């Protein structure tokens, strides 16, 4: 039996440049937000230990550049991922329409053993702004079609940030366990006594 005290879960954030991937990751890990935009060059990487269903896990969060010239990094970056967050800006229909391409590209380059079972979570960011081009119903309909969870969030106002990452961690952990079970491994994960639940409001 393989025993894991603290599984490491690889979570990837992908989407067009400027949708708020870096801000979302920074808000979750460092609890801070800045209005100063800085395009990600290649990839950024942060870690955070959290508790999911009384299990301690370490999230390895990878923030990818949303520009075409860095797409070649995908194969190296995406391999070994346990969950993927597809991020768009609710004020930009272009960023939402691009998600289908991002999803297909991820599956091609990550090459999971069962693409239909790989966990995706869709994140609509910037709901704090006064206008939007992508309605909740439109986003939810697409998520239903691809079998993905959907969350509407604001990195700036810290809305639904913790909830989204906890959901991603739970999906990633389930995917990791299922992968090892399918490979004939008997695993046991050490449990903690109490789970810390996110208490931020969420529009999901």
């Amino acid at each position: 039996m393989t025993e894991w005290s603290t599984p490491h879960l690889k979570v990837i954030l992908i989407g067009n440049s400027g949708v708020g991937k870096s801000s979302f990751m920074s808000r979750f890990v460092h609890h801070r937000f800045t209005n100063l935009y800085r395009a990600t060059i290649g990839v950024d990487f942060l870690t955070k230990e959290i508790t999911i269903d009384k299990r301690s896990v370490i999230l390895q969060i990878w923030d990818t550049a949303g520009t075409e010239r860095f797409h070649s990094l995908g194969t190296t970056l995406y391999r070994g991922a346990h969950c993927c967050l597809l991020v768009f800006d609710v004020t930009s229909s272009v960023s939402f329409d691009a998600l289908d391409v991002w999803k297909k590209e991820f599956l091609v380059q990550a090459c999971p053993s069962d693409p239909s079972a790989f966990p995706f979570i869709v994140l609509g960011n910037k709901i704090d702004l006064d206008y939007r081009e992508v309605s909740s119903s439109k986003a939810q309909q697409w998520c239903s079609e691809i079998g993905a969870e959907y969350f509407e969030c604001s990195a700036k106002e810290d809305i639904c940030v913790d909830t989204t990452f906890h959901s991603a961690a739970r999906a990633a952990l389930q995917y990791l366990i299922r992968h090892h079970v399918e490979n004939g491994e008997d695993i046991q994960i050490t449990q903690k006594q109490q789970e810390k639940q996110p208490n931020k409001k969420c529009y999901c």
Side-chain angles (χ1 to χ4, degrees), residues 69-171:
R69 64 194 179 103
F70 291 112
H71 284 196
S72 60
L73 296 173
T75 300
T76 302
L77 174 64
Y78 298 163
R79 291 289 173 90
H82 302 109
C83 182
C84 178
L85 288 175
L86 298 167
V87 187
F88 74 98
D89 173 356
V90 298
T91 71
S92 168
S93 58
V94 172
S95 69
F96 175 74
D97 293 339
L99 292 187
D100 190 56
V101 174
W102 281 107
K103 177 178 179 288
K104 290 176 180 177
E105 182 177 277
F106 174 87
L107 290 175
V108 168
Q109 299 196 46
C111 199
S113 57
D114 184 1
S116 63
F118 188 87
F120 286 94
I121 290 178
V122 178
L123 162 63
N125 192 29
K126 304 187 183 182
I127 62 169
D128 55 283
L129 298 180
D130 294 333
Y131 67 100
R132 61 189 299 162
E133 293 183 356
V134 183
S135 66
S136 296
S137 58
K138 181 178 181 179
Q140 289 170 348
Q141 179 180 351
W142 185 69
C143 289
S144 296
E145 293 172 357
I146 67 171
E149 286 189 273
Y150 177 56
F151 296 93
E152 294 199 335
C153 315
S154 168
K156 181 178 181 179
E157 299 298 332
D158 199 9
I159 298 173
C160 209
V161 176
D162 283 6
T163 301
T164 302
F165 272 112
H166 276 72
S167 183
R170 184 172 288 105

